[in-house]
Amino acid sequence: MSAVEEVREGDLLFTPSRERTAASQMAAFMSFLEETRGLVFDSYHSLWAWSVSELPAFWAALAQWGQVPFSKPAVEVLRLGPGGGAEGARWFEGAELNYVDLVLRQEPRRPALVARDESGNRQELSYGELVALAGRAASGLSALGVGRGDRVAAVLPNGVAAVCCFLATASLGAIWSSCAPEFGASSMVDRFAQIEPKVLLTTESYSYGGKRFDLAEKTAALQAGLPGLARAVGFEELLSLGADPAPLAPVPVEFSHPLWVLYSSGTTGLPKAIVQGHGGIVLEHLKSLRLHSDLGPDKRFFWFSTTGWMMWNFLVGGLLCGATIVTYDGSPLHPGPLALFEMAAEEKVTFFGTSAPFLETCRRSGLSPRASLDLSSVVSVGSTGAPLSPEGFAWASSAIGDDVLVGSASGGTDVCTAFILSCPLLPVHAGELQCAALGAAVAAFDEEGHPVLGQVGELVITAPMPSMPVAFVGDSDGSRLHEAYFDTFPGVWRHGDWVKETERHTFVVYGRSDATLNRGGVRMGTAEFYRVVEAVDEVADSLVVDTSELGREGELILFLVPAAPTAPEGLAGLESVVRRRLRENVSPRHVPDRIIAVPALPRTLNGKKVEVPIRRIILGTPVERAVSPDSLSDPAALEALLGALEEEGLV
């Protein structure tokens, strides 16, 4: 029996025990609402319905429950946008706070940060030690003239230096922005040149996959591309510039004062520079991490990321909850495929977060981490970056531990959180995300803008959320922000994903709506297609493109990466198997017109498939306008794919 047939979408995989739900942060919040406001909810969904119908009351209650230390209270919790919707909404006007205030209030002796790398190096800091080190870094930044509103750019590995420098920057009211060291120099310039940083924080080298990479040439190119830069310094030099000791003294800032700038992938043009504010991120991360992820002082929180992905910012948010965050720098597969799980076992990680492609790779490789490791500390597994297949859900819930909540999340850099994610009160069904997040008015819309249940539609958010972007850099009139999210459905945030809400209010995500497969009037997200194709053992990776345009059905083209070098006759057999599986498990309409074998597929630096750029290239967009090689983790894979397209006469 194939993996596709073994697990069905919707199969029940996990039900939380009464003890677990009663001890959860979500249950504590519900008790708080009953005690302070007389509100009683009989289910998570009833709580969610209140949270989106009474937005000011919900977010004010969360701030009170989370003991957010406002230095100045708000005069108004929420002012809707000019059209009465999400666009242009203002939150907690008049309020002042600083992100770092919540880190300072944690018990100084509790562990705050454990930093690991692929070589086995380990560093642990208590909250007191972390705050002291961040204070020295803030003093060093002040000595370089950094103050409120200045931008600090960082090219640092995922570890102590990055976390300390972020806290230092935020405490001064300055604005943080980071790229991972493996980014190309021009890709970094594309991002940082938009924000005109005063200071660049750098490192001499980094390691990945057992290899050491020198950054001198890349740093020099980056400095040359940032003519307004005052200084480039390393972490140790920064500390030497500051006083010791130097108490960390956060500057009160407005609720919407910029905290950091994140960037879109930049695969098809200059990356959007997305500004998010102190207050919005504080409230959103308290909600997502304390309530939905059930984090607190007794939990150890890990999410595999680099400093160039929003999940790094999300991971650091664990400090707002008093949790111990665990960072990891390097390859997740070095020195072996169990590297991350070995680290999790040694550090007694409670919440293990990673990407869906990583979990799928583990599943397809036949790994069983629990067979050789004590992973009894892991009670939750987080997954994001792509839809997780039902088989991926089942693997994570059985191969890691006995009582593991698998929480797939869907959101994005745009809000630095998830719209749909996990909940400690709810069961887990294979292939389904547990719930819409509190305060997130999630819906699936049809083409006319009507909500639909039980069928696939556009993922939309019909009401404002505090962490929606304050602005895009360089978008003085807001036109680019409007075009990005609000030009399809007036006042409603269109996220760009295909999603289905089930009758039990779980969700299934089917991939990007701009990469839809539309065959004979039957529309399908790519996730369902990949699930079938990549269940074939001989397939290592795949990418599908539908070249249909308005009023014209084009070709369905499937790119395959064979799991092992394959002779032509073997490829013919593999193609036959793939076509048969698609015909039987998807539909005859979704059998590809062409199947093209390639050695590797281009992915973004965060591991996402680049379906839309490849489609644009096939439809005639010049390569240089369709995709930026510096936005890809392996530009050589793009070159190989382009060569295959030339051989097929498609470009």
Side-chain angles (χ1 to χ4, degrees):
M1 183 177 291
S2 72
V4 173
E5 296 166 328
E6 288 174 5
V7 182
R8 294 174 301 173
E9 182 179 291
D11 283 353
L12 180 64
L13 299 177
F14 166 87
T15 302
S17 66
R18 290 185 179 181
E19 294 77 15
R20 181 166 177 170
T21 58
S24 69
Q25 297 278 338
M26 189 73 77
F29 180 61
M30 294 172 78
S31 295
F32 167 82
L33 292 175
E34 182 176 1
E35 293 166 3
T36 62
R37 289 155 171 78
L39 297 170
V40 179
F41 301 100
D42 61 1
S43 66
Y44 172 79
H45 188 69
S46 65
L47 172 63
W48 173 83
W50 170 77
S51 77
V52 296
S53 64
E54 303 292 340
L55 285 173
F58 165 69
W59 289 104
L62 178 70
Q64 183 184 355
W65 177 75
Q67 299 179 318
V68 176
F70 290 111
S71 54
K72 186 181 290 187
V75 296
E76 186 177 13
V77 173
L78 172 61
R79 180 182 299 170
L80 294 174
E87 187 172 13
R90 300 284 296 175
W91 289 96
F92 287 79
E93 288 196 286
E96 291 187 356
L97 77 166
N98 191 295
Y99 178 104
V100 179
D101 288 329
L102 280 84
V103 181
L104 282 175
R105 76 177 185 186
Q106 306 301 332
E107 166 56 48
R109 292 170 295 182
R110 280 206 309 264
L113 168 63
V114 175
R116 298 280 299 252
D117 67 21
E118 66 176 26
S119 299
N121 297 313
R122 182 183 190 275
Q123 187 175 0
E124 180 174 335
L125 296 177
S126 67
Y127 272 92
E129 291 167 333
L130 176 62
V131 165
L133 203 58
R136 288 180 59 194
S139 180
L141 288 172
S142 295
L144 294 173
V146 173
R148 180 188 175 101
D150 289 326
R151 278 76 64 199
V152 174
V155 181
L156 295 171
N158 185 10
V160 168
V163 176
C164 284
C165 289
F166 160 64
L167 294 176
T169 300
S171 74
L172 298 172
I175 305 166
W176 172 263
S177 191
S178 62
C179 284
E182 63 265 26
F183 278 32
S186 61
S187 185
M188 293 182 193
V189 171
D190 284 346
R191 288 159 170 76
F192 291 154
Q194 296 184 64
I195 65 170
E196 300 178 335
K198 177 174 282 190
V199 169
L200 174 66
L201 303 172
T202 64
T203 186
E204 293 180 354
S205 61
Y206 71 98
S207 294
Y208 191 88
K211 298 179 181 179
R212 198 77 179 164
F213 297 89
D214 184 83
L215 284 176
E217 184 176 334
K218 196 179 290 186
T219 301
L222 180 54
Q223 289 180 262
L226 302 173
L229 194 67
R231 185 81 174 268
V233 296
F235 182 53
E236 294 301 328
E237 182 183 359
L238 180 67
L239 295 180
S240 70
L241 294 172
D244 186 16
L248 194 61
V251 174
V253 295
E254 296 82 3
F255 188 89
S256 61
H257 182 79
L259 172 65
W260 55 46
V261 177
L262 304 180
Y263 303 93
S264 62
S265 62
T267 54
T268 59
L270 197 66
K272 298 191 296 286
I274 303 165
V275 183
Q276 289 155 351
H278 276 247
I281 290 297
V282 163
L283 289 181
E284 180 56 46
H285 285 187
L286 280 178
K287 180 203 75 179
S288 296
L289 295 170
R290 278 194 70 179
L291 294 180
H292 286 278
S293 304
D294 202 26
L295 295 181
D298 58 337
K299 303 296 177 66
R300 292 200 158 206
F301 178 41
F302 166 76
W303 206 299
F304 179 74
S305 180
T306 70
T307 53
W309 188 22
M310 59 142 287
M311 293 310 300
W312 181 84
N313 305 70
F314 194 72
L315 170 64
V316 174
L319 298 173
L320 305 176
C321 309
T324 303
I325 65 170
V326 180
T327 66
Y328 185 90
D329 190 62
S331 168
L333 303 174
H334 182 82
L338 289 174
L340 291 187
F341 297 106
E342 290 168 350
M343 178 277 299
E346 292 167 7
E347 298 299 341
K348 304 300 181 187
V349 165
T350 311
F351 190 112
F352 181 93
T354 185
S355 68
F358 175 78
L359 293 176
E360 297 287 6
T361 297
C362 292
R363 175 182 68 83
R364 290 169 59 81
S365 300
L367 290 182
S368 179
R370 64 179 299 176
S372 58
L373 299 168
D374 178 6
L375 291 165
S376 56
S377 64
V378 178
V379 296
S380 296
V381 171
S383 171
T384 194
L388 183 64
S389 70
E391 295 80 14
F393 270 84
W395 180 89
S397 68
S398 61
I400 296 175
D402 286 322
D403 194 28
V404 176
L405 186 160
V406 180
S408 182
S410 178
T413 300
D414 319 75
V415 287
C416 199
T417 190
F419 304 118
I420 314 169
L421 71 177
S422 58
C423 175
L425 307 183
L426 298 175
V428 175
H429 297 266
E432 298 179 6
L433 285 66
Q434 284 178 284
C435 61
L438 294 177
V442 178
F445 270 14
D446 63 18
E447 291 180 338
E448 286 73 41
H450 302 131
V452 293
L453 193 67
Q455 66 186 72
V456 179
E458 286 272 5
L459 171 60
V460 298
I461 313 299
T462 61
M465 292 173 61
S467 67
M468 285 178 175
V470 173
F472 288 169
V473 172
D475 183 29
S476 58
D477 63 356
S479 59
R480 290 177 58 214
L481 191 145
H482 173 84
E483 182 182 351
Y485 310 116
F486 299 108
D487 68 344
T488 303
F489 306 112
V492 172
W493 175 291
R494 173 187 172 272
H495 195 60
D497 283 341
W498 280 122
V499 67
K500 177 181 71 178
E501 181 179 1
T502 73
E503 297 289 340
R504 54 175 166 259
H505 303 297
T506 60
F507 292 83
V508 181
V509 178
Y510 294 98
R512 297 295 297 172
S513 56
D514 52 7
T516 304
L517 309 180
N518 189 353
R519 313 302 295 169
V522 178
R523 295 189 303 176
M524 176 185 295
T526 54
E528 186 174 352
F529 190 94
Y530 293 137
R531 178 191 170 199
V532 173
V533 173
E534 293 172 14
V536 177
D537 291 339
E538 293 81 6
V539 176
D541 202 359
S542 65
L543 185 145
V544 64
V545 171
D546 184 352
T547 64
S548 299
E549 295 183 279
L550 186 64
R552 182 185 70 83
E553 182 162 300
E555 286 190 301
L556 192 66
I557 303 171
L558 174 62
F559 299 92
L560 282 185
V561 179
T566 307
E569 58 272 18
L571 281 175
L574 175 57
E575 290 181 14
S576 177
V577 170
V578 168
R579 292 180 189 278
R580 177 173 56 81
R581 292 279 184 91
L582 288 168
R583 184 177 295 106
E584 294 173 352
N585 294 287
V586 183
S587 83
R589 294 175 177 176
H590 290 85
V591 175
D593 297 291
R594 303 194 201 201
I595 297 180
I596 303 172
V598 291
L601 287 172
R603 289 179 178 265
T604 68
L605 291 164
N606 294 331
K608 296 183 179 181
K609 301 186 184 192
V610 290
E611 300 152 324
V612 175
I614 301 305
R615 178 179 183 274
R616 293 179 65 194
I617 290 170
I618 294 172
L619 291 175
T621 301
V623 174
E624 62 274 12
R625 285 177 49 202
V627 61
S628 167
D630 281 333
S631 69
L632 305 176
S633 58
D634 183 9
L638 175 63
E639 291 300 320
L641 189 145
L642 292 175
L645 290 177
E646 289 182 7
E647 290 182 11
E648 292 283 329
L650 291 169
V651 295

